[in-house]
Amino acid sequence: MTQRTLSILVLHGPNLNLLGQREPGIYGVLSLNEINRLLEKQAEDLAVNIDVVQSNHEGVLVDKIHSAWGEHQGILINPGAYTHTSIALRDAIAGVNIPTVEVHLSNVYRREEFRHHSFIAPVAVGQISGFGAQSYILGLQALVYHLRN
Ligand code: DQA
């Protein structure tokens, strides 16, 4: 049986363009480009396509989620600080109804209290938090597993 190749939208939210130089004790030393290369490699191993976008702007992320409809079968998102503030991102994900996995480099539950609440988690399939760059790899694996089962 031939299986349709899955296409996954990978979204990186605000300040993640600074990875590598931004608070490396919390977020690690890998740059966003290096993380994206690891994701490309994992996507190849899983035989899926990924389309990667980073934006510091909430509206751009909302537009990207809307345009995923009919284009991508899953969304992998690190919403950055918008995790804790953005009803717009949450509504966009609920609106397109595309299975979404939320990832965080740091374990947000071990950090400041304002990071303990996610507006995204209730509309996500699940969340992976605290494994550094590996959170993205685990998140992609989990999303593809979810879509294929
Ligand atoms: C983050 C955690 C958020 O609280 C923070 O605002 C970020 C990064 C993470 O990947 O650990 O920008 O999403």
Side-chain angles (χ1 to χ4, degrees):
M1 195 182 81
T2 47
Q3 229 179 7
R4 189 168 54 127
T5 305
L6 291 172
S7 181
I8 309 296
L9 176 62
V10 178
L11 288 178
H12 302 285
N15 300 308
L16 295 170
N17 54 310
L18 298 180
L19 286 179
Q21 68 184 74
R22 172 193 185 202
E23 299 181 88
I26 296 174
Y27 298 117
V29 294
L30 294 189
S31 68
L32 189 60
N33 279 340
E34 288 169 325
I35 290 176
N36 288 338
R37 277 202 291 275
L38 293 176
L39 275 170
E40 287 289 354
K41 166 84 177 63
Q42 183 61 57
E44 216 177 289
D45 290 351
L46 291 166
V48 299
N49 294 325
I50 58 171
D51 189 2
V52 182
V53 176
Q54 188 275 330
S55 178
N56 294 318
H57 304 277
E58 191 175 18
V60 172
L61 295 165
V62 168
D63 286 345
K64 266 288 150 194
I65 292 166
H66 291 178
S67 62
W69 200 79
E71 289 287 318
H72 302 287
Q73 290 71 53
I75 299 174
L76 181 71
I77 185 168
N78 182 347
Y82 288 143
T83 307
H84 320 298
T85 63
S86 181
I87 297 170
L89 276 185
R90 173 207 173 107
D91 284 355
I93 292 166
V96 295
N97 198 23
I98 296 172
T100 297
V101 169
E102 175 187 348
V103 298
H104 299 284
L105 294 144
S106 63
N107 179 350
V108 289
Y109 302 100
R110 289 180 68 170
R111 301 183 60 197
E112 303 95 325
E113 203 160 328
F114 66 84
R115 296 186 203 276
H116 296 182
H117 179 259
S118 167
F119 280 104
I120 310 303
V123 295
V125 176
Q127 187 198 63
I128 293 170
S129 177
F131 296 93
Q134 197 64 21
S135 289
Y136 283 97
I137 303 302
L138 294 168
L140 184 60
Q141 289 171 352
L143 180 56
V144 171
Y145 179 84
H146 174 82
L147 293 170
R148 285 185 175 152
N149 290 277

